[in-house]
Amino acid sequence: MFLNTRGKSHDLFYETLQRRCELTSVEKSWFKTFQKGFEGECLYDEIFEDVGHDDVLVYRDLYLKLGKSVTQYDALVINDDGIIVNEIKNYIGEYKVEGGDWFRNGQRISEEPLAQLNRAVGKLIGLRNSVNGNFGISGKLIFVSDDFYLQTDDNSLWGKIVVRMNLRRYLREFRGGKISNKSQFIVRLLSENIVENPYIDNNVDEERLRKGIYCGQCGSFNLIKSRFHLVCSSCGSKEVNETHLLRAMSDYQFLFYGKPMTRTAFMNFIGYSLTSRVVYRILLKHCYVNKKGNQTAYIFKYQNFEDAMGKPELFIKYKDHLKG
Ligand SMILES: [Zn+2]
């Protein structure tokens, strides 16, 4: 049973950023890394979904504050036996492990997957010991790509990894496990230590960003106002004001994570493309209002734009017409 959904924050940050400015080469490379990692994690989820996960409880993309630091977990598989950490790697190509170091095409890579896994497992052991818990904790490195090849001088490594070819069999082994009181205890223990992703970059330089609102179909900022809609002059798509503002609120949230969205800041962000009266009405409809001193901040109610558009209670009287 999956206990939560997999977050996509890093991905969405760069996806949103590139709509409004040119990514630097460093940003492009991070974006690619996060995309690749996220794809790998989704592939793992898909296979797990296919094999079935009724006999385990699974946390995905979890951040736990254990001791003084925050540790990220790609997947934690829980049953009455304990917790198994699955560190998911979407490595592609030929890898070699020699004397504990990892190489790709002869070049040492910056990550140390096994050390990373051991650290993540160690943190959970610390947590268990702090409550005198009586359950096991172990971990595996999961390589999800079928285009991953590994050579190693250390035969003990094979016991710590699962390659794509064996992934189904590995996940199937969880079948028939028990999830009763002890699993519930573990889930409670973990949930007490869950924190939000602390690594989201919210220091994007506003000056770089293109202000305004853009077409949901082609990304063009050239929109022509009609009464209830904005029509894209590049592709002809027609979207209602509310759709545009929902997209902009979602963008704001990802670009300025944790930074209060005031009415002025938001108006500036959308380049004053709609009247302050329209914007105000829609902010009140889709945000929680947080008054602090003489500043009023609006907190978007939904996870992201897609989430908002999927809400049945969100009734949009005038429909969008996207050109395919
Ligand atoms: Zn368009």
Side-chain angles (χ1 to χ4, degrees):
M1 205 182 307
F2 289 150
L3 295 172
N4 63 340
T5 54
R6 194 173 284 290
K8 209 191 168 201
S9 327
H10 279 111
D11 250 26
L12 278 172
F13 171 77
Y14 289 109
E15 224 171 273
T16 311
L17 189 61
Q18 75 169 359
R19 295 221 175 244
R20 292 180 180 271
C21 68
E22 185 74 32
L23 298 186
T24 64
S25 54
V26 174
E27 285 165 345
K28 274 185 197 153
S29 112
W30 278 116
F31 188 22
K32 227 165 114 185
T33 305
F34 287 126
Q35 265 179 325
K36 195 166 143 238
F38 187 71
E39 275 165 24
E41 289 160 22
C42 291
L43 189 59
Y44 168 91
D45 291 350
E46 237 170 73
I47 297 171
F48 215 160
E49 190 74 63
D50 201 41
V51 167
H53 43 77
D54 290 345
D55 300 335
V56 283
L57 300 172
V58 186
Y59 268 126
R60 298 176 290 174
D61 193 29
L62 201 66
Y63 291 82
L64 295 177
K65 180 145 199 221
L66 303 171
K68 279 186 182 147
S69 58
V70 175
T71 309
Q72 188 266 349
Y73 293 89
D74 292 336
L76 293 176
V77 184
I78 300 154
N79 61 22
D80 283 2
D81 294 332
I83 311 174
I84 294 139
V85 178
N86 278 177
E87 179 66 38
I88 302 162
K89 296 288 176 206
N90 195 8
Y91 287 6
I92 292 166
E94 293 186 23
Y95 286 75
K96 200 179 207 175
V97 181
E98 244 172 23
D101 296 329
W102 289 64
F103 298 86
R104 180 172 188 263
N105 300 332
Q107 200 176 28
R108 196 166 159 196
I109 61 169
S110 59
E111 268 194 322
E112 289 181 68
L114 196 58
Q116 205 183 338
L117 176 70
N118 289 338
R119 255 198 315 275
V121 168
K123 288 279 181 187
L124 289 177
I125 292 176
L127 175 68
R128 177 195 64 191
N129 295 351
S130 72
V131 295
N132 291 318
N134 175 28
F135 53 85
I137 295 170
S138 61
K140 294 268 191 203
L141 284 173
I142 312 280
F143 294 96
V144 285
S145 170
D146 55 9
D147 195 15
F148 167 76
Y149 308 92
L150 184 68
Q151 266 191 330
T152 176
D153 58 359
D154 171 13
N155 276 325
S156 74
L157 186 61
W158 298 109
K160 296 164 194 157
I161 72 173
V162 178
V163 292
R164 176 60 189 270
M165 204 172 64
N166 299 325
L167 185 52
R168 269 169 203 281
R169 196 189 315 157
Y170 168 71
L171 295 174
R172 223 177 272 136
E173 282 167 11
F174 291 118
R175 280 188 192 165
K178 277 200 346 198
I179 37 171
S180 59
N181 292 345
K182 196 176 265 179
S183 302
Q184 292 303 333
F185 170 78
I186 296 170
V187 167
R188 251 198 323 275
L189 180 65
L190 292 173
S191 66
E192 283 164 11
N193 295 281
I194 295 174
V195 290
E196 282 214 53
N197 179 354
Y199 303 111
I200 296 176
D201 180 3
N202 59 344
N203 292 317
V204 52
D205 176 12
E206 272 186 70
E207 294 303 307
R208 288 177 59 197
L209 300 179
R210 175 144 189 202
K211 307 289 192 303
I213 46 185
Y214 55 84
C215 170
Q217 186 66 24
C218 76
S220 164
F221 280 74
N222 297 324
L223 307 173
I224 301 155
K225 255 187 238 187
S226 69
R227 187 150 175 227
F228 300 108
H229 292 91
L230 287 152
V231 183
C232 174
S233 60
S234 303
C235 77
S237 288
K238 202 162 104 170
E239 289 175 295
V240 294
N241 297 340
E242 192 165 5
T243 301
H244 276 291
L245 290 177
L246 282 168
R247 187 182 293 116
M249 286 184 237
S250 172
D251 281 8
Y252 190 99
Q253 164 183 261
F254 284 107
L255 293 173
F256 306 111
Y257 185 81
K259 189 169 153 186
M261 178 168 80
T262 63
R263 212 163 130 191
T264 319
F266 187 65
M267 283 302 286
N268 181 40
F269 183 63
I270 62 164
Y272 301 88
S273 346
L274 291 163
T275 65
S276 143
R277 194 178 53 86
V278 170
V279 170
Y280 186 49
R281 186 174 56 80
I282 289 175
L283 279 176
L284 286 180
K285 183 171 169 190
H286 298 293
C287 295
Y288 301 111
V289 179
N290 185 10
K291 278 193 170 90
K292 232 187 215 163
N294 54 7
Q295 180 187 272
T296 304
Y298 297 86
I299 299 146
F300 195 44
K301 284 181 185 169
Y302 319 102
Q303 284 188 353
N304 52 45
F305 174 67
E306 275 77 30
D307 178 37
M309 294 298 282
K311 299 283 176 208
E313 70 271 19
L314 200 158
F315 176 66
I316 295 176
K317 208 152 97 198
Y318 305 94
K319 285 218 171 82
D320 303 325
H321 302 278
L322 297 179
K323 297 273 155 100

